[in-house]
Amino acid sequence: MNASPQIARTIAEVRGLIERLRAERAGGESGNEVGFVPTMGYLHEGHASLLRRARRENGITALSIFVNPIQFGPNEDLERYPRSEEADLELAAREGVDVVFLPSAQEMYPAQRRTTVAVTGVTERLCGASRPGHFDGVATVVSKLFNIVKPDKAYFGAKDAQQVAVLQKMVSDLNMDVRIVPCPIVREADGLALSSRNVYLSEEQRREALVLSRSLREASARIESEAEVTPEQIVAGVTGSIQASPLAQIDYVELLTFPELQPLDPKRDLSDLRDSGGSVILALAVKFGSTRLIDNAILNLKEAPLHV
Ligand code: PAF
């Protein structure tokens, strides 16, 4: 049984705890690097897999749980976003987390904020287009968390592939001294990508939501096996499969370059990218009732599909 994590609710407390652990573990067998997993809580096996990797690769594992209000739009689900501090702390203890940072909104945003971190280009499409301001909120809070926790590495799930691309660009453009480590999507046995929002789905919606991973798998196989297939055909195939589900309402289905997230010529096959060994992302966002799910497949065109 692992020891319970130390809990910090203020910025001063978490800084103190991390500094102390770094000093205590300097020169120790597993080192004193800090692996950090920022989350919004309601933790599931996907988060657990990030924590396990952080723990394997670092002497100190830090987790933050903060439902960040500035990354939600006015008509989004901030108020009903699921929360469960007790269960989250139990999972953190099971995974051997050293420090959990659990700030309030007042602690993170005490006064009127005049600074926003905005990453352009990679935020123009996908969730950046359908959730205006979302990635400003993500980049701003993650910058603040990096300044507070000062991690060596930070671990993010590839289900939010655009978030990973945005944060990688931010860290590189701003010379932040932290390495972003993208980790594979974790799925249920039937293919549904794990998400805290899955809890909102009715039984019927959950059953129908399997069309997302199924259509990504089918499209990935097509990209791999049909040399002449075009982006337009891929997107039309996935859109058709999803539209066959009466409960699904498509927000977007797009095939873009990865990690730049730039559009491809819809009518031209992928041979240039295949030759240069480039990668593409097939990304989708679909609503079932009021629950919006995202999923994606990233394919290196010279290798086997990733993350599906
Ligand atoms: O992926 C999330 O849970 C959030 O976007 C993050 C990175 C914790 C920032 O609030």
Side-chain angles (χ1 to χ4, degrees), residues 236-304:
V238 173
T239 304
S241 304
I242 297 174
Q243 277 171 342
S245 157
L247 301 183
Q249 231 190 312
I250 295 179
D251 177 355
Y252 62 72
V253 175
E254 289 196 68
L255 184 69
L256 304 172
T257 62
F258 190 82
E260 305 80 8
L261 303 183
Q262 292 308 304
L264 295 153
D265 182 339
K267 296 195 184 301
R268 200 169 153 167
D269 72 36
L270 303 169
S271 44
D272 292 351
L273 269 173
R274 283 185 212 282
D275 292 345
S276 63
S279 294
V280 290
I281 180 168
L282 179 56
L284 47 83
V286 179
K287 272 181 126 179
F288 291 86
S290 56
T291 306
R292 183 175 174 279
L293 301 181
I294 58 171
D295 202 347
N296 70 76
I298 298 171
L299 293 111
N300 181 305
L301 296 179
K302 277 225 162 116
E303 294 168 5

Side-chain angles (χ1 to χ4, degrees), residues 77-127:
D77 57 348
L78 172 63
E79 293 313 324
R80 69 171 196 139
Y81 195 84
R83 291 158 169 90
S84 69
E85 190 176 305
E86 206 182 310
D88 288 350
L89 291 176
E90 277 167 22
L91 184 144
R94 274 199 307 279
E95 297 305 335
V97 170
D98 296 295
V99 175
V100 183
F101 181 40
L102 265 162
S104 64
Q106 174 64 19
E107 179 70 8
M108 289 299 279
Y109 303 114
Q112 194 183 18
R113 195 172 41 89
R114 296 284 188 193
T115 306
T116 296
V117 180
V119 181
T120 58
V122 281
T123 51
E124 272 156 26
R125 306 185 74 92
L126 309 178
C127 293

Side-chain angles (χ1 to χ4, degrees), residues 7-213:
I7 296 170
R9 294 191 187 268
T10 68
I11 294 166
E13 274 167 4
V14 75
R15 283 190 163 141
L17 284 176
I18 301 252
E19 251 170 55
R20 216 182 54 228
L21 284 169
R22 274 203 196 265
E24 278 170 16
R25 298 191 185 174
E29 209 177 292
S30 359
N32 69 346
E33 293 211 329
V34 176
F36 179 40
V37 180
T39 77
M40 298 205 300
Y42 210 73
L43 304 178
H44 50 64
E45 182 52 33
H47 298 110
S49 75
L50 303 180
L51 291 167
R52 283 198 282 276
R53 175 126 182 230
R55 194 170 171 213
R56 254 196 332 271
E57 297 181 356
N58 302 274
I60 300 163
T61 306
L63 162 73
S64 67
I65 299 174
F66 177 59
V67 181
N68 174 36
I70 68 165
Q71 70 185 71
F72 288 79
N75 299 317
E76 294 186 353
D77 57 348
L78 172 63
E79 293 313 324
R80 69 171 196 139
Y81 195 84
R83 291 158 169 90
S84 69
E85 190 176 305
E86 206 182 310
D88 288 350
L89 291 176
E90 277 167 22
L91 184 144
R94 274 199 307 279
E95 297 305 335
V97 170
D98 296 295
V99 175
V100 183
F101 181 40
L102 265 162
S104 64
Q106 174 64 19
E107 179 70 8
M108 289 299 279
Y109 303 114
Q112 194 183 18
R113 195 172 41 89
R114 296 284 188 193
T115 306
T116 296
V117 180
V119 181
T120 58
V122 281
T123 51
E124 272 156 26
R125 306 185 74 92
L126 309 178
C127 293
S130 49
R131 301 184 67 189
H134 169 68
F135 286 116
D136 290 359
V138 171
T140 302
V141 79
V142 172
S143 303
K144 284 168 72 75
L145 290 168
F146 284 176
N147 284 331
I148 294 164
V149 174
K150 301 197 191 80
D152 296 278
K153 303 188 200 85
Y155 296 79
F156 295 90
K159 184 170 75 65
D160 297 299
Q162 187 172 22
Q163 171 167 280
V164 172
V166 168
L167 296 175
Q168 278 175 327
K169 196 80 191 92
M170 174 186 88
V171 160
S172 142
D173 283 354
L174 298 180
N175 306 96
M176 291 181 172
D177 198 10
V178 51
R179 185 150 73 80
I180 303 288
V181 184
C183 302
I185 296 177
V186 179
R187 297 180 182 279
E188 304 272 14
D190 59 11
L192 186 69
L194 294 193
S195 162
S196 303
R197 289 186 169 99
N198 289 351
V199 66
Y200 301 144
L201 297 170
S202 69
E203 238 175 79
E204 196 187 3
Q205 288 168 337
R206 197 204 167 287
R207 221 177 13 255
E208 296 228 348
L210 297 181
V211 70
L212 307 186
S213 54

